[in-house]
Amino acid sequence: MKAWEDKIRRVVPYTPGEQPKRPVIKLNTNECPYPPSPSVEQAMRALDADTLRLYPDTEALPLVKALSAAYGVEEDQIFVGVGSDDVLAMAFMTFFQGEKPILFPDITYSFYDVWAELFRIPYEKVPLDGTFHIGKEDYYRENGGVIFPNPNAPTAIAEDLDFIRDILRHNQDVIVIVDEAYIDFSEKPSAKELLDEFENLLVVQTFSKSRAMAGMRIGYAFGSRELIKAMKDIKYSFNSYTMNLPSQMAGAAAAADQDYLKHTVQKVVATRERTQKRLAELGFSFPKSEANFVFASHKTKPAREIYEALKKKDIYVRYFDKPRIYNYLRITIGTDAQMDQLFDALEKILR
């Protein structure tokens, strides 16, 4: 080993879903199968190219104002970043600084432990119960902070507001982050409804799923003025211009078009319900999904075999070679035509 090599910080990075470089049926990364609001394209066409020579607004005010109007949250209670991953990473840096471990589920978004390792934050993975639900009583103890997705990923299970309120009541001396990347697909209301009750609550959402803008990298958080200011102070300490101007303008246009958002969600949910029915007929079991994917296990065929067989047919789903979930597939909801091709392929594979 060279003398300088032991000075390098080394972590095991997050592994995203495969991104094939050729046309396939891509049901492995929970992207929306439909385009974003037409107003997004209009905003892009209206963008004056000459403005690209200037730095963008540091606070992304066009987007913040649109989010404030759409959700009824004050502008100084909104933080925006380059995708919800950026927002969450900023939150980890800002709020999880104690010696006590932060708590999050053992089966959850696999970026949490990566950030904890990267930022040297002690953490503990709290096991989900036998039905893949979070046990709220497991969070009734001293900790350095709490984070969990709702709906959870990859399980697609959502908890109600009383459940989240109970966790907050038992953790009022730390920051509690609710990661709501998939909340628009759920029947459960957003935890932002609890912002007036709890100053230590941060709610994180994204444009990557229901708004069909994963390529623009837009995420945001709702929280008390104190929490949002603290996050901005950290952000401005190393990069004031994280969100580019086109993303700000496209995001503002999408946020203003709530009708299109609802229409898109309705289409995805309708296909999701149809998908769950067909998967059950094919011998799969799964928790009831409140996201834009289904977390399914077959009664006789191992998940890895199904995953590999589908891949040979150019149909990509997500397989996790991890304890407790190694026999499950996470299947993104695509268009009806894409799902029909999946069902046809599964019928042949499962014979």
Side-chain angles (χ1 to χ4, degrees), residues 128-178:
L128 298 179
D129 68 18
T131 61
F132 292 144
H133 281 266
I134 294 172
K136 61 184 179 180
E137 295 82 5
D138 295 332
Y139 295 82
Y140 293 179
R141 55 190 169 95
E142 284 192 313
N143 60 73
V146 174
I147 180 170
F148 58 91
N150 196 53
N152 195 6
T155 65
I157 294 172
E159 307 294 350
D160 60 27
L161 278 188
D162 285 340
F163 180 98
I164 297 171
R165 181 182 285 111
D166 195 69
I167 288 181
L168 283 157
R169 283 176 175 165
H170 285 84
N171 290 278
Q172 296 190 48
D173 58 343
V174 297
I175 307 303
V176 176
I177 302 174
V178 182

Side-chain angles (χ1 to χ4, degrees), residues 310 313 315 340-350:
L310 285 172
K313 296 178 179 292
I315 300 174
D340 284 341
Q341 291 182 71
L342 169 70
F343 303 147
D344 289 344
L346 287 173
E347 286 178 355
K348 295 180 176 65
I349 292 167
L350 297 172

